[in-house]
Amino acid sequence: MTHYIPVGLPDRIRHFIDGEFVDSVGGETFDVLDPVSNETYVQAAAGQQADIDLAVAAAKRAFDDGPWPRMLPRQRSRVLHRIADLVEARDARLAELETFDTGLPITQALGQAQRAAENFRFFADLIVAQRDDTYKVPGRQVNYVNRKPIGVAGLITPWNTPFMLESWKLAPALATGNTVVLKPAEFTPLSASLWAEIFREAGVPDGVFNLVNGLGEEAGDALVKHPDVPLISFTGESRTGQIIFGNAAPFLKGLSMELGGKSPAVVFADADLDAALDATVFGVFSLNGERCTAGSRVLVERSIYDDFVARYAERAKNIVVGDPHDPKTEVGALVHPEHYEKVMSYVEIGKGEGRLVAGGGRPEGLDTGNYVAPTVFADVSPDARIFQEEIFGPVVAITPFDTDEEALELANNTRYGLAAYIWTNNLKRAHNFAQSVEAGMVWLNSNNVRDLRTPFGGVKASGLGHEGGYRSIDFYTDQQAVHITLNEAHSPRFGTK
């Protein structure tokens, strides 16, 4: 297979601090691989404490003294709409670079680039339409809520759909008047540097957006522990979330964390099975299985179980695995050899925990690169590691159930609680099950189709807090209550005889 390399790749990936592309103060770098060849294609600046200090100082100056937090919402909205326009105009280039850096199939990367533009457009509209609460006590008092941007927001993003997930945080943080320091994932730093040029062209003032590349243990750690960064928004695995929680605690920082998942897709016998099959196959194998909301545990009512497993396995075997840049590809290459080894280790574990009905190794004809054949295990016990642990790859566990009660018990039987997908045409069951399942988000008879106005977040080990719509506005602003007395203040008169 020929190895596609986009034209115009940078000679080096740098930080972006106070309107300038810069190397690390100490000159530190790290290698960036592409997941098809696993060869280093560029060196990236590896941020350390000194680089984070410079970025935070620039962001704090822009917040304390610059125009951005003081603009009218309509002025900031216009800038955000320009950002959305620029992202849309460059969607093909963004997708090309994202696919090269991540191994995501090009058609899916293009959709993610377009979603990034939509995120900016959504918050551009929301801050203009936003209204704040007023509480009246007729003739006595008026109380209102005054929202204020908080300061420098530290944004730490993952490698699975980097550009789009960066937009989820950047758009509301900037819309509400904060300044930011973004630390993208070290596996996939390529597309993040494009924000700098887009923001500059759209009219974002210098210092409002700062980017520091580097390792989580170095740049990420310094950002979380910086005393001038009151907010941290993090998307990533639950163990890293625990470390961030501990490191942020001494500073009492605002935290929003969307963490891991092991989400159930529950298929009842009365469901539209063709639709359920389409959604549950797509739900775990799209984005190479590297998605936090993947329905990676499929629970199927016993009366349809054997037929469903056979059809599911057949679909998985027919999935097109190959060159991420080929529009026909449905599953590309996993992001990095480290992650590939992790996923393949779970495939081997699964062979002792379930009945392998599809995949189970490297696809034929793809001898190099991080390729994993879509893998399906049936008859998986609820205490199996592949049932309990997040694999984050194209691997699914299918388990039968007999009753609604057993289905709910199985669905809730993990430490995670991000998403759940329920397939049934019984209205009572659908709503009762949805309200009983331990998940921050539930889709009934639907694939993961998200309304940007709704809260996004998980319960249990899947997260802390919510973003999305007004929840993002809440997170990125201080809500100050202002109380005004309309007549004489009647206070107890201490100190009088």
Side-chain angles (χ1 to χ4, degrees):
M1 185 175 74
T2 57
H3 179 217
Y4 178 84
I5 300 175
V7 297
L9 288 176
D11 62 338
R12 190 156 176 180
I13 292 176
R14 295 170 171 83
H15 311 309
F16 185 75
I17 298 174
D18 207 12
E20 300 289 337
F21 284 104
V22 294
D23 291 318
S24 291
V25 170
E28 298 89 349
T29 62
F30 63 95
D31 293 342
V32 186
L33 315 180
D34 83 83
V36 171
S37 72
N38 281 330
E39 293 173 358
T40 300
Y41 74 87
V42 75
Q43 299 263 304
Q48 311 293 313
Q49 178 79 55
D51 306 296
I52 290 291
D53 287 347
L54 287 173
V56 173
K60 191 170 188 312
R61 278 195 304 276
F63 184 80
D64 290 344
D65 305 323
W68 189 252
R70 292 156 194 87
M71 284 183 178
L72 291 172
R74 173 64 74 189
Q75 292 175 293
R76 282 200 301 269
S77 174
R78 287 195 181 105
V79 175
L80 264 61
H81 274 297
R82 284 200 291 272
I83 292 168
D85 292 340
L86 290 166
V87 171
E88 281 179 351
R90 298 173 192 184
D91 59 358
R93 175 65 172 169
L94 287 163
E96 180 187 38
L97 295 181
E98 193 89 310
T99 289
F100 178 71
D101 203 24
T102 65
L104 290 175
I106 186 72
T107 52
Q108 296 171 40
L110 184 62
Q112 297 295 316
Q114 291 162 350
R115 180 63 174 266
E118 183 58 29
N119 286 331
F120 271 91
R121 218 172 279 300
F122 174 82
F123 283 104
D125 291 339
L126 192 64
I127 55 162
V128 174
Q130 179 197 318
R131 48 182 285 280
D132 286 317
D133 296 324
T134 305
Y135 306 92
K136 298 178 189 173
V137 183
R140 296 185 184 179
Q141 200 175 39
V142 172
N143 314 301
Y144 69 89
V145 175
N146 176 41
R147 286 184 186 270
K148 300 193 284 188
I150 295 173
V152 180
L155 312 179
I156 303 175
T157 51
W159 46 255
N160 52 332
T161 54
F163 192 79
M164 193 281 289
L165 287 173
E166 288 152 13
S167 76
W168 263 12
K169 301 181 189 300
L170 286 165
L174 295 176
T176 46
N178 298 282
T179 58
V180 303
V181 177
L182 169 66
K183 205 297 282 184
E186 57 265 32
F187 285 174
T188 56
L190 182 58
S191 60
S193 56
L194 300 177
W195 286 118
E197 295 160 11
I198 289 168
F199 287 165
R200 180 187 277 161
E201 198 172 324
V204 176
D206 290 348
V208 171
F209 167 77
N210 303 274
L211 165 70
V212 178
N213 293 292
L215 308 184
E217 301 87 337
E218 296 169 355
D221 191 63
L223 184 58
V224 168
K225 292 175 178 173
H226 201 293
D228 289 335
V229 180
L231 291 176
I232 298 289
S233 177
F234 169 72
T235 299
E237 63 177 356
S238 300
R239 176 69 195 125
T240 309
Q242 290 174 316
I243 295 168
I244 289 173
F245 197 116
N247 288 338
F251 304 96
L252 300 174
K253 297 188 183 221
L255 286 176
S256 174
M257 296 199 286
E258 191 253 290
L259 306 176
K262 192 72 180 174
S263 300
V266 186
V267 183
F268 288 93
D270 68 341
D272 178 337
L273 294 186
D274 288 331
L277 194 66
D278 286 346
T280 53
V281 170
F282 179 82
V284 77
F285 297 124
S286 57
L287 304 179
N288 297 348
E290 297 165 330
R291 58 186 302 168
C292 43
T293 54
S296 53
R297 296 180 298 135
V298 182
L299 312 176
V300 184
E301 193 165 356
R302 196 176 300 275
S303 63
I304 58 165
Y305 180 77
D306 290 340
D307 178 52
F308 189 90
V309 168
R311 293 174 66 188
Y312 197 101
E314 187 64 25
R315 290 283 290 272
K317 290 173 187 172
N318 289 329
I319 286 173
V320 179
V321 184
D323 178 2
H325 293 276
D326 186 336
K328 294 192 290 291
T329 293
E330 294 170 326
V331 169
L334 299 191
V335 69
H336 191 277
E338 277 179 34
H339 186 60
Y340 171 81
E341 292 300 330
K342 174 194 165 184
V343 172
M344 289 302 273
S345 74
Y346 274 108
V347 170
E348 292 309 308
I349 290 165
K351 289 174 181 176
E353 292 185 331
R355 173 167 58 96
L356 180 66
V357 295
R362 180 182 279 281
E364 284 183 33
L366 295 171
D367 299 326
T368 59
N370 305 320
Y371 292 103
V372 176
T375 297
V376 183
F377 292 104
D379 311 341
V380 179
S381 165
D383 59 359
R385 286 185 65 187
I386 61 167
F387 188 96
Q388 291 290 338
E389 298 175 20
E390 184 176 41
I391 300 171
F392 219 65
V395 182
V396 65
I398 309 183
T399 301
F401 66 85
D402 289 296
T403 64
D404 290 30
E405 292 74 21
E406 184 187 7
L408 184 64
E409 186 180 338
L410 288 169
N412 289 341
N413 181 22
T414 72
R415 62 193 283 257
Y416 296 107
L418 189 57
Y421 307 89
I422 299 160
W423 291 86
T424 178
N425 282 315
N426 180 317
L427 195 61
K428 282 186 184 175
R429 170 196 281 151
H431 288 290
N432 286 326
F433 201 101
Q435 292 174 31
S436 301
V437 73
E438 292 166 352
M441 298 168 286
V442 182
W443 280 269
L444 296 176
N445 298 321
S446 168
N447 180 25
N448 179 338
V449 179
R450 185 160 169 260
D451 184 325
L452 292 177
R453 295 170 296 181
T454 59
F456 188 99
V459 297
K460 300 194 290 190
S462 286
L464 177 77
H466 288 83
E467 293 189 41
Y470 279 110
R471 274 71 174 189
S472 292
I473 303 290
D474 286 344
F475 177 68
Y476 289 106
T477 56
D478 279 325
Q479 297 172 59
Q480 178 188 57
V482 180
H483 304 272
I484 307 138
T485 298
L486 298 179
N487 57 17
E488 289 184 29
H490 296 290
S491 302
R493 303 190 67 215
F494 279 25
T496 60
K497 293 184 179 177

